[in-house]
């Protein structure tokens, strides 16, 4: 990963998908069923157990740091119940 890509990832993580003012270019919203709800809560078992004997392989859901930032910002105003719905897919 180049330095530019690392900086872009850090900005996405801090500011979310709307950091450049245009949300339409992003493929998913954090409420989309294809987005990993466990990843949004920073507890995806596929990531946590990576490189262990219990490795589950790659998660089949979409992971994006910008979506996590969007979720964290929105969760301050509304409870989406993702902490209850989190499951291994």
């Amino acid at each position: 990963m180049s330095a530019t890509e690392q900086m872009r990832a850090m900005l996405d993580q801090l500011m979310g998908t709307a950091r450049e003012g245009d949300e339409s270019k992003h493929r998913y919203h954090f409420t989309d069923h294809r987005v990993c709800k466990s990843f949004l809560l920073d507890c995806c078992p596929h990531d946590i157990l990576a490189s262990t004997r219990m490795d589950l392989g790659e998660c089949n859901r979409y992971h994006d740091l910008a979506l996590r930032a969007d979720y964290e910002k929105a969760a301050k105003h509304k409870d989406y119940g993702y902490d209850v719905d989190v499951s291994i897919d």
Side-chain angles (χ1 to χ4, degrees):
M1 180 180 267
S2 71
T4 305
E5 291 170 341
Q6 288 177 343
M7 291 300 292
R8 184 173 288 120
M10 287 174 33
L11 282 171
D12 284 344
Q13 184 177 7
L14 289 172
M15 301 180 72
T17 57
R19 70 181 171 91
E20 294 176 2
D22 184 19
E23 295 183 38
S24 63
K25 70 178 184 174
H26 293 280
R27 296 185 292 182
Y28 302 115
H29 189 262
F30 69 86
T31 58
D32 194 311
H33 70 278
R34 295 171 284 190
V35 174
C36 180
K37 307 308 184 216
S38 299
F39 176 77
L40 296 177
L41 296 169
D42 199 23
C43 63
C44 181
H46 297 271
D47 293 342
I48 293 171
L49 298 173
S51 301
T52 66
R53 288 190 295 178
M54 298 292 293
D55 193 343
L56 300 171
E58 285 193 31
C59 185
N60 60 354
R61 304 267 180 172
Y62 186 68
H63 289 201
D64 188 0
L65 292 172
L67 293 177
R68 182 186 293 164
D70 289 347
Y71 166 72
E72 289 171 352
K73 194 179 303 180
K76 291 178 183 176
H77 304 289
K78 179 181 175 185
D79 182 18
Y80 289 92
Y82 290 167
D83 53 341
V84 176
D85 292 337
V86 172
S87 63
I88 297 175
D89 292 325

